[in-house]
Amino acid sequence: MLKINRLEPFKCKDSEFEFLGCDIYSDNNLSFLINSSNASTILIKEDILKNLYKHELDENLKFKLVQRGLATFKSIHTNYTNFQYKYIPKHFCIEITQNCNLRCKYCFRDFKNPTQNTISKKMIEKICNYIITYCKKNKINHILIQPWGGEPLLCLDKILIIKKCFDDSGISTQISVETNGTLITLEMAKTIHENNINIGISLDGPEKIQNFQRTYHNDKPTFKDIIKGIKNLTKVGHSFGILAVITNYSTDVIENILDFFVKELKCNNIRLNMIHPSKDNIYNMTFDTDKADFFSDKLINKLVSLNEEGHYVTESNVKSKLANLLVDSSGGFCKIQGCQYGKHLVAFDSKGNIYPCELTQYPEEILGNVENEDDLDCLISNSNKKQSFFIKVQENQCKECSFWYGCRGGCSSAVKYMNNPNVNIDLIQCSINRSIYPKLIELILNKPSIVEKLIKRKINFIH
């Protein structure tokens, strides 16, 4: 049974050492300590925790706590609270078309009045050259490019133009495409495989769920066509991931959804995104925050059981949250904290406008345009100071939350979509984080071998 306590800051007598305070999660004679202000963590045994409560610390423990950011020496600047990280985006979304052959019930894109359906070859080259110039200036050698839509595979020729631009640049580039999968013929699958393009299939679950949430324009079902596309990828030996949107209709059957993805489709790389409220939510699909505990329990238990059965599956959001909790042996901590759009990722539309996020194409959120040749570093720096997208989102409940640093109010775009002046945080992400993080800590304390499978790397757990 997970026990939760709090240890307040203290100073050691006749010493420059100062402990910064932490929340303590204990189980199985182990304790997980986390400082919510800077996401510093450490996992220690019960006898060491007793010494910490009594303020009896040997030099080795002091060193470990300082190294992990849970304490500081006045003479050494080790307090991570004031740490200023320079964001260097290495993930770029490029909108290549606003056209789509599907009309998903929860889609946020406005396809009724597209200003420009498909990007031109000339604009692709301008955007690519802009990114290349930025990368060379910042000595960035590897990046991720995500062609965005609409349905990107309607314009596979444009994706290949992007690939050629970067192949000629000398910058190592991974092209990654999220697709609805309905257009993947055997010939297209061969082209995708030959060009080493990563594929993520948007599939919300088994046939009944998929055909309700994601249909063609004429409301005809999509499931069988997507399975054909997946089989064509498999025939040419190309791996794929799955992106599923979790709605009010799929929350209760998350275990069945995961079984289907893993056991039937043989996919072990999954991402589950929670649907957010929008002004067009006419189907009452929004995730019910009252079900956060239920959903988190079912999700974690199923991931554990699948890995124990030997399927070695990971869910990317769980993986990121575990990374936020775990510190590697060098003392560095994961930078995947809260909304990273405009920090580690920026997006370009088909006109060359630059946005902090591909989900927030509001005119007031534009950072700049590639044709103005403004430096991306300066655009990001200036926007962080003045644009509403970057304003710190926080409510009173955030101040006492152990996991604020890994959430930071959730998705900035989701807050904007709600269009509610009385709500300043992403309530859905908040409910999920408050529910799932303690369960992940419990997993760390009791099943570290499963955690290593979920995070896909070895971890030095106890210090």
Side-chain angles (χ1 to χ4, degrees):
M1 181 68 178
L2 196 64
K3 297 178 182 178
I4 305 173
N5 292 295
R6 171 76 187 168
L7 182 57
E8 297 298 333
F10 64 85
K11 297 179 181 179
C12 287
K13 295 179 180 179
D14 303 321
S15 172
E16 293 184 323
F17 177 88
E18 180 179 354
F19 182 72
L20 300 176
C22 68
D23 296 317
I24 302 171
Y25 294 78
S26 302
D27 193 13
N28 195 27
N29 295 319
L30 293 172
S31 291
F32 188 90
L33 280 57
I34 179 169
N35 182 302
S36 61
S37 67
N38 62 23
S40 298
T41 64
I42 193 168
L43 182 62
I44 60 176
K45 294 181 179 179
E46 187 177 18
D47 57 339
I48 297 177
L49 179 64
K50 288 179 180 178
N51 290 337
L52 191 58
Y53 272 125
K54 294 186 289 186
H55 301 179
E56 296 176 356
L57 289 74
D58 60 24
E59 293 305 312
N60 180 57
L61 180 55
K62 287 180 180 179
F63 175 78
K64 285 292 185 182
L65 293 172
V66 171
Q67 182 190 46
R68 297 290 168 164
L70 286 155
T72 183
F73 281 108
K74 290 182 180 179
S75 58
I76 306 175
H77 299 292
T78 52
N79 187 344
Y80 293 122
T81 303
N82 298 317
F83 178 75
Q84 297 296 316
Y85 181 76
K86 182 182 179 182
Y87 294 104
I88 306 292
K90 297 180 183 179
H91 183 172
F92 305 94
C93 290
I94 301 176
E95 181 188 53
I96 58 174
T97 182
Q98 293 183 358
N99 292 328
C100 187
N101 59 329
L102 267 58
R103 283 295 181 270
C104 302
K105 286 181 169 63
Y106 48 70
C107 185
F108 61 89
R109 301 298 300 272
D110 181 10
F111 293 104
K112 296 176 183 177
N113 298 298
T115 54
Q116 183 175 336
N117 286 339
T118 303
I119 195 170
S120 67
K121 180 177 183 291
K122 184 178 180 181
M123 181 54 70
I124 287 176
E125 291 171 345
K126 286 183 178 180
I127 292 172
C128 291
N129 288 333
Y130 182 86
I131 296 171
I132 290 166
T133 299
Y134 159 80
C135 289
K136 290 184 176 179
K137 175 194 170 187
N138 288 282
K139 297 181 172 56
I140 299 170
N141 298 317
H142 181 78
I143 60 173
L144 174 65
I145 298 292
Q146 183 178 351
W148 178 253
E151 170 48 49
L153 291 187
L154 285 169
C155 301
L156 181 57
D157 59 324
K158 305 290 186 183
I159 296 173
L160 297 178
I161 292 172
I162 292 173
K163 185 176 186 301
K164 186 177 186 309
C165 286
F166 285 100
D167 284 347
D168 294 343
S169 74
I171 297 169
S172 174
T173 306
Q174 181 60 62
I175 306 291
S176 183
V177 174
E178 293 290 350
T179 171
N180 61 45
T182 60
L183 302 173
I184 303 176
T185 62
L186 187 59
E187 191 62 34
M188 181 182 286
K190 289 177 182 177
T191 301
I192 288 169
H193 188 64
E194 290 167 359
N195 286 277
N196 192 32
I197 297 171
N198 280 356
I199 291 292
I201 302 290
S202 294
L203 177 63
D204 287 351
E207 189 166 5
K208 185 177 180 180
I209 292 175
Q210 171 67 19
N211 285 341
F212 173 70
Q213 296 185 177
R214 299 174 63 83
T215 65
Y216 288 110
H217 293 224
N218 57 8
D219 290 330
K220 286 189 176 181
T222 58
F223 180 81
K224 291 181 180 178
D225 290 338
I226 294 173
I227 298 303
K228 286 179 184 177
I230 288 174
K231 288 181 177 178
N232 286 331
L233 288 173
T234 303
K235 285 177 183 177
V236 301
H238 199 75
S239 61
F240 63 94
I242 289 178
L243 170 66
V245 175
I246 302 300
T247 70
N248 193 36
Y249 294 95
S250 56
T251 304
D252 293 347
V253 291
I254 184 59
E255 295 167 307
N256 296 338
I257 291 172
L258 289 173
D259 276 335
F260 172 68
F261 291 159
V262 176
K263 296 180 179 180
E264 295 191 38
L265 299 184
K266 310 300 180 186
C267 179
N268 63 0
N269 183 12
I270 298 165
R271 183 180 184 91
L272 305 175
N273 284 350
M274 315 310 295
I275 189 174
H276 281 85
S278 72
K279 60 182 180 181
D280 299 321
N281 182 24
I282 61 175
Y283 296 97
N284 191 30
M285 303 181 81
T286 303
F287 177 78
D288 184 353
T289 55
D290 289 338
K291 291 185 177 181
D293 275 335
F294 169 85
F295 174 79
S296 298
D297 275 336
K298 296 293 185 183
L299 172 61
I300 299 302
N301 290 340
K302 176 52 69 172
L303 289 173
V304 169
S305 66
L306 286 169
N307 276 280
E308 288 176 338
E309 292 169 17
H311 292 287
Y312 306 114
V313 61
T314 188
E315 195 279 322
S316 62
N317 289 304
V318 167
K319 182 180 178 181
S320 292
K321 293 180 196 305
L322 281 169
N324 281 333
L325 292 172
L326 294 167
V327 185
D328 63 28
S329 57
S330 67
F333 53 82
C334 179
K335 299 299 190 300
I336 309 172
Q337 296 145 350
C339 176
Q340 292 303 294
Y341 290 87
K343 300 170 184 176
H344 293 301
L345 177 149
V346 292
F348 301 83
D349 71 9
S350 57
K351 293 181 176 180
N353 291 317
I354 307 169
Y355 293 86
C357 169
E358 79 276 16
L359 302 180
T360 182
Q361 292 189 355
Y362 294 95
E364 64 269 23
E365 302 296 355
I366 294 174
L367 308 183
N369 188 285
V370 297
E371 295 193 287
N372 296 333
E373 298 184 351
D374 293 321
D375 183 89
L376 183 58
D377 293 312
C378 293
L379 291 177
I380 292 173
S381 178
N382 291 336
S383 299
N384 267 269
K385 298 173 184 176
K386 62 184 181 181
Q387 287 190 212
S388 62
F389 185 88
F390 297 101
I391 293 174
K392 183 177 180 181
V393 291
Q394 189 169 336
E395 296 280 12
N396 289 333
Q397 66 212 61
C398 300
K399 297 175 183 177
E400 303 299 325
C401 180
S402 302
F403 314 109
W404 177 82
Y405 205 87
C407 174
R408 301 199 188 191
C411 173
S412 297
S413 292
V415 175
K416 194 174 184 75
Y417 291 149
M418 284 189 292
N419 195 28
N420 185 343
N422 298 317
V423 179
N424 194 38
I425 61 171
D426 175 0
L427 296 175
I428 289 176
Q429 196 59 47
C430 172
S431 70
I432 289 293
N433 283 338
R434 283 178 175 271
S435 171
I436 207 168
Y437 269 116
K439 300 180 196 307
L440 294 179
I441 290 175
E442 197 166 5
L443 202 60
I444 292 169
L445 295 171
N446 291 285
K447 294 188 176 183
S449 62
I450 293 295
V451 171
E452 290 185 331
K453 291 175 182 177
L454 291 173
I455 205 168
K456 301 298 184 189
R457 63 173 173 142
K458 289 286 183 182
I459 300 294
N460 185 14
F461 284 96
I462 302 176
H463 302 280

